[in-house]
Amino acid sequence: MEYKTKKNSNATVDIKLTFEASDIEKAFDKTYAEKQKDVKLPGFRQGKAPLNLVKRHLGDTVTSDAINTLIVEGMTSIITKLEHPMVRFPKFEIQDYQPGKTLIANAVYETNPEITLGKYKKVKVKLPEVVVSDADVQEEIETIRKQLARKQLKEEGQTAATGDIIDMEYVVREQGQEPKNASNTSNDYHLGHESNLKGFDENLYGLKTGETKDFTHSFPEDYAQNEVAGKAFEYSVTIKALYANILPAADDDLASEFDGSDSLNALKDKIRKNLKERFEEGIKNKKMEEIYKEVIDDSKYILPESYVKEESEHVFHNMIHEFRLPHITIEKYAEMIKKDLKEVQDSFKNLAETRLKHFFTRQKIAQTENIVYSDSDFDADLEKLASSYQISLSDLKKELEKGKLMDNYRENFFAKKVDDTLFDLVEKKYTDKLSIGQVKEYLNQKEDQKA
């Protein structure tokens, strides 16, 4: 067999296979031999007829199978020799076939994506300096105090106030409706907590243990849960137990109980360092979005069509799963949202191309910068993760293997190593000083809100 290839400009390769008479004969012989076991001829048990009789009986009926064998085995013999690697096996067309003499087959196969990186080391990024104030540290200390707080039963006659903890029974009904449950209970309910229903707790302040209060609470029109938004509900609440929430003093004992720190000042130093590192990492991760966008805009990509098609389908199905929509086709989805099918397909195609460009940009940078990620690197990263979860490395590995997540974590760790390298390579300029509060605002900004 002879073959010729010609590289195209769209990540595809034209390939031409030419087979001689001997190649064709071997493929037919192999096909006849495979068919022999299923052939039953008069005077012979199934599969026991002589091969020469089988050949005469089957004749040209095996031509299609023989040609398929010819092409598959021919490609298998050269696949590692191809200058441009084959992404997937193509569909061949027969250009010329002269039985017993010659066969010429053509195909177009997809090869690896082609990425030409721009000047990624010349990317300029502005970084704010994170400033941790005493107030920021104190806020963390208050959070620790709340974590280590203990309940103390209030004395008889004392009333409920902000910060207290209550156990309560209640009956609730939509105004004008019958209650769905005879009675409900809620234990360890923290009065005044920021996550509580706005305006609800005010009805409970001043109550004593054993007291019952009936009141109506209305949900706002824009409430997140549509089934109760804008509706009024009648409550009958009985206080079963009332506790004061006793916070420990901010002292050396608190520091020791929390993480074994020698003193409160030592704990504050740790908090200050951790806050600075955490929010610097947050800024870095957000800036990586800008860096990759600039790198991608300055680079050139030729992506195989099948990659884009498969990734588009993957993005679509992920969206369906994330929003818990019924399993429908993209055509039905376009009808459901009342948009043109091509517009919907193009939107998913654009998302797919962006994802693929991010992935292959990272791969190309890793290749260019000789970034490798060894098994020992992986174990070291898993060790750090296990330590943060306060479990052993072996237990973490068992959980990851159980959930079939090992490869995902390896890919994520490798991606971070490439990102860290890229971040080190770009030109950085430190500008304004930002407080923790300002950094939080910056990190919460959406892409379309950034200047």
Side-chain angles (χ1 to χ4, degrees):
M1 182 198 80
E2 294 181 354
Y3 72 94
K4 291 182 179 180
T5 59
K6 181 174 76 72
K7 177 71 171 59
N8 301 315
S9 60
N10 61 345
T12 65
V13 176
D14 294 334
I15 186 166
K16 178 180 179 180
L17 306 180
T18 302
F19 298 93
E20 302 176 341
S22 60
D23 300 319
I24 297 172
E25 183 181 357
K26 288 178 183 177
F28 269 83
D29 286 346
K30 182 172 184 178
T31 305
Y32 284 130
E34 289 174 350
K35 299 285 186 181
Q36 183 181 20
K37 62 180 180 296
D38 298 319
V39 173
K40 185 176 181 181
L41 296 178
F44 300 95
R45 285 181 295 155
Q46 181 174 330
K48 299 300 181 180
L51 187 58
N52 63 325
L53 294 181
V54 171
K55 288 181 180 181
R56 190 181 309 164
H57 172 71
L58 294 177
D60 293 339
T61 62
V62 302
T63 298
S64 178
D65 290 336
I67 289 176
N68 185 62
T69 297
L70 190 66
I71 291 173
V72 170
E73 292 190 350
M75 283 302 304
T76 302
S77 69
I78 66 170
I79 200 162
T80 58
K81 304 174 186 176
L82 294 173
E83 180 184 358
H84 305 287
M86 182 183 295
V87 170
R88 66 197 67 215
F89 203 90
K91 182 178 180 181
F92 278 86
E93 292 184 357
I94 306 304
Q95 179 184 329
D96 183 33
Y97 175 51
Q98 298 178 34
K101 295 181 180 180
T102 185
L103 184 144
I104 299 174
N106 297 330
V108 179
Y109 71 80
E110 291 181 322
T111 188
N112 291 331
E114 297 175 31
I115 295 91
T116 305
L117 290 175
K119 298 178 180 178
Y120 58 92
K121 295 181 184 180
K122 297 296 184 182
V123 171
K124 294 179 174 62
V125 58
K126 293 181 179 179
L127 292 168
E129 181 183 346
V130 178
V131 178
V132 182
S133 68
D134 291 343
D136 296 323
V137 175
Q138 190 57 41
E139 185 177 337
E140 293 296 308
I141 292 292
E142 291 305 310
T143 299
I144 292 171
R145 293 181 68 206
K146 291 174 183 177
Q147 290 176 4
L148 300 180
R150 59 185 177 83
K151 296 192 304 183
Q152 179 175 296
L153 194 63
K154 278 195 162 186
E155 295 181 6
E156 186 177 350
Q158 288 187 304
T159 59
T162 301
D164 287 347
I165 301 171
I166 61 172
D167 295 340
M168 60 181 173
E169 286 185 358
Y170 63 95
V171 176
V172 60
R173 73 182 77 195
E174 186 178 348
Q175 206 165 43
Q177 305 291 327
E178 290 297 319
K180 292 184 179 180
N181 301 97
S183 179
N184 304 275
T185 60
S186 180
N187 295 328
D188 287 343
Y189 180 85
H190 287 245
L191 288 171
H193 194 277
E194 59 185 13
S195 65
N196 295 350
L197 296 175
K198 188 175 181 181
F200 183 86
D201 291 2
E202 281 75 359
N203 298 288
L204 306 179
Y205 296 149
L207 293 180
K208 300 175 184 177
T209 301
E211 287 188 334
T212 299
K213 184 175 180 180
D214 299 329
F215 58 90
T216 300
H217 177 77
S218 298
F219 288 82
E221 295 288 346
D222 60 352
Y223 192 67
Q225 297 179 22
N226 295 332
E227 64 271 19
V228 298
K231 296 180 180 179
F233 288 81
E234 296 174 351
Y235 291 82
S236 179
V237 177
T238 301
I239 306 298
K240 305 301 291 183
L242 178 59
Y243 305 90
N245 193 30
I246 308 299
L247 274 63
D251 55 18
D252 293 346
D253 290 337
L254 175 77
S256 177
E257 181 181 357
F258 178 66
D259 70 351
S261 293
D262 293 336
S263 66
L264 181 62
N265 285 335
L267 176 59
K268 286 182 176 181
D269 288 341
K270 288 181 186 177
I271 290 172
R272 189 180 298 277
K273 180 176 181 290
N274 291 339
L275 280 175
K276 188 174 179 64
E277 290 177 352
R278 172 155 49 103
F279 284 100
E280 283 178 343
E281 185 69 16
I283 290 172
K284 173 184 170 182
N285 291 337
K286 196 170 185 72
K287 286 294 180 181
M288 286 306 304
E289 298 172 14
E290 300 175 23
I291 292 170
Y292 270 108
K293 184 178 185 307
E294 191 168 339
V295 173
I296 288 170
D297 288 345
D298 192 39
S299 301
K300 295 179 181 179
Y301 303 84
I302 300 177
L303 303 172
E305 289 184 10
S306 65
Y307 276 40
V308 178
K309 183 176 182 294
E310 289 176 3
E311 187 64 20
S312 296
E313 293 172 354
H314 181 69
V315 172
F316 172 70
H317 289 301
N318 274 358
M319 184 273 295
I320 293 294
H321 178 74
E322 181 180 353
F323 292 100
R324 298 181 180 178
L325 297 174
H327 292 284
I328 56 177
T329 63
I330 195 168
E331 290 81 7
K332 289 289 185 184
Y333 175 72
E335 288 179 18
M336 186 177 77
I337 64 174
K338 298 179 180 179
K339 285 192 175 182
D340 178 70
L341 175 59
K342 187 175 185 309
E343 180 184 351
V344 173
Q345 289 174 328
D346 286 346
S347 69
F348 284 107
K349 180 181 178 182
N350 291 337
L351 286 171
E353 287 179 342
T354 299
R355 285 165 59 102
L356 288 171
K357 286 177 181 179
H358 270 87
F359 175 80
F360 287 113
T361 298
R362 187 178 279 121
Q363 297 293 315
K364 189 68 172 180
I365 290 172
Q367 178 187 350
T368 305
E369 297 296 330
N370 297 314
I371 302 171
V372 295
Y373 191 72
S374 64
D375 289 342
S376 60
D377 291 331
F378 187 40
D379 279 344
D381 283 331
L382 286 178
E383 185 71 63
K384 291 177 187 175
L385 186 62
S387 177
S388 70
Y389 290 151
Q390 297 183 332
I391 60 174
S392 69
L393 176 60
S394 60
D395 285 343
L396 176 61
K397 284 185 173 181
K398 286 177 185 176
E399 288 300 315
L400 294 182
E401 287 167 355
K402 182 179 178 182
K404 298 180 179 179
L405 296 171
M406 196 71 82
D407 288 341
N408 289 344
Y409 273 76
R410 179 184 286 274
E411 289 173 9
N412 291 338
F413 287 141
F414 173 67
K416 186 177 187 311
K417 184 172 184 178
V418 177
D419 292 352
D420 289 344
T421 301
L422 177 58
F423 189 76
D424 290 340
L425 290 171
V426 300
E427 297 181 16
K428 294 175 284 293
K429 180 180 179 182
Y430 290 88
T431 55
D432 301 332
K433 294 184 177 182
L434 295 185
S435 66
I436 295 295
Q438 289 171 317
V439 174
K440 287 179 180 178
E441 286 182 14
Y442 166 74
L443 294 179
N444 289 329
Q445 282 179 353
K446 293 183 179 179
E447 197 67 28
D448 58 3
Q449 293 176 328
K450 293 194 304 191

